[in-house]
Amino acid sequence: MKPAIVFDLGKVLVDFDYSIAARKILARSTKKLPGLPQSLGSLELLMRFESGLTNRAQFFAEIKEALGYTGDLAEFVRDLGDIFVEIPRMIELHAEFRRQGFSTYIFSNTNDIAVEHIRHHYPFFAHFNGYIYSYEVGGMKPYPKIYEAMEKLCGRSGKEIVYIDDRPENIDTGMARGWDSILHESPEKTRSLLKHLL
C-alpha cells in the first residue's frame, strides 16, 4: 500500500499575507491600530477562532468590538478571506502524485473563512482524499490531538504517512509519531525529498 501524503496548506500549497486583510479591516474601522498589519496573524482572537473555541459570528463580534469595525459580516468575510495565492509548483507536484495513485490530504491550522475562500477560488483544492482543519478538530498543530485526527481519517500511522509542513515545530510532532516528515523550504527541495522517500 502506498503511503498517504499529507500537505499543510498555508505556505506550502498557498501563500498568504494577513497584512492585506488587516489593511482592509482597518479601512472600515473607527479604532486605528497601526501594528495590526504585522500582528493580525498572531492575534489571540484569531488563534481561538482557528482552534474552534469561537465560531465565525463570535469572532466577527469580537473584531467589531475591538476595532470598531463598521462593515457587515459579508464584508468582513471578504476582507479576511482574500489573502491567498496559489504556489503553482506545489500545486503541480500534488497533481503529479495524484496521477501516480497516491492518496493525499490537507492538514491545516485554519478557519472556516479561509477554507471557504480557497475552496471557492482554487480548483486544485477539490482534489484531495480528505481534510483535517484545526477549527473542526478543536486543536492546532503542533498539539497531538489534530495529528490523531489525521491518522484516524487516512487510516495510516507511522511511516505510512509522508507529511509536508513549513513549520519546524509541526514537523517535530509528526516525526515523534513516526511520520516521514519534510520541512518545506522550497518546491524544489520538497520535490527532491518526496522523490527520495517515495
Side-chain angles (χ1 to χ4, degrees):
M1 181 171 60
K2 292 183 176 182
I5 307 177
V6 173
F7 289 83
D8 179 34
L9 182 57
K11 302 294 183 180
V12 174
L13 294 166
V14 294
D15 203 356
F16 64 89
D17 182 355
Y18 271 113
S19 71
I20 297 169
R23 287 191 292 271
K24 292 177 181 177
I25 290 167
L26 285 173
R28 301 183 195 267
S29 299
T30 59
K31 301 175 185 177
K32 303 303 179 186
L33 300 179
L36 190 65
Q38 293 75 41
S39 65
L40 178 59
S42 59
L43 282 184
E44 182 186 349
L45 288 178
L46 184 64
M47 296 300 102
R48 290 197 289 113
F49 185 35
E50 296 198 337
S51 297
L53 300 176
T54 59
N55 61 30
R56 181 184 297 202
Q58 292 166 334
F59 180 58
F60 175 60
E62 291 178 337
I63 290 289
K64 277 184 77 79
E65 182 176 350
L67 297 178
Y69 183 78
T70 59
D72 61 21
L73 178 57
E75 290 168 324
F76 177 70
V77 167
R78 286 195 300 271
D79 288 347
L80 187 66
D82 191 14
I83 63 172
F84 299 97
V85 293
E86 289 181 333
I87 302 174
R89 286 173 295 175
M90 290 301 294
I91 303 304
E92 177 53 33
L93 182 62
H94 168 255
E96 285 179 25
F97 282 99
R98 291 290 291 176
R99 289 192 293 268
Q100 294 172 30
F102 286 90
S103 298
T104 60
Y105 296 84
I106 291 285
F107 184 49
S108 181
N109 288 343
T110 192
N111 59 76
D112 69 317
I113 293 173
V115 169
E116 181 180 283
H117 180 88
I118 293 168
R119 183 182 292 126
H120 181 73
H121 288 88
Y122 300 117
F124 84 87
F125 197 61
H127 302 294
F128 290 82
N129 293 86
Y131 308 79
I132 291 291
Y133 306 128
S134 58
Y135 77 93
E136 291 184 337
V137 172
M140 298 178 72
K141 297 179 285 185
Y143 297 105
K145 180 178 182 178
I146 191 170
Y147 294 77
E148 293 165 6
M150 176 52 72
E151 290 174 349
K152 183 176 180 180
L153 175 67
C154 71
R156 316 281 179 86
S157 61
K159 291 191 175 297
E160 299 170 331
I161 296 173
V162 175
Y163 170 41
I164 305 161
D165 200 300
D166 67 304
R167 299 194 60 100
E169 65 272 23
N170 298 344
I171 286 295
D172 287 346
T173 301
M175 292 177 67
R177 301 186 75 83
W179 299 7
D180 277 332
S181 302
I182 295 171
L183 179 63
H184 178 71
E185 296 175 320
S186 71
E188 295 77 17
K189 185 173 180 181
T190 294
R191 176 186 288 275
S192 176
L193 290 169
L194 270 175
K195 297 286 187 183
H196 176 73
L197 286 171
L198 301 173

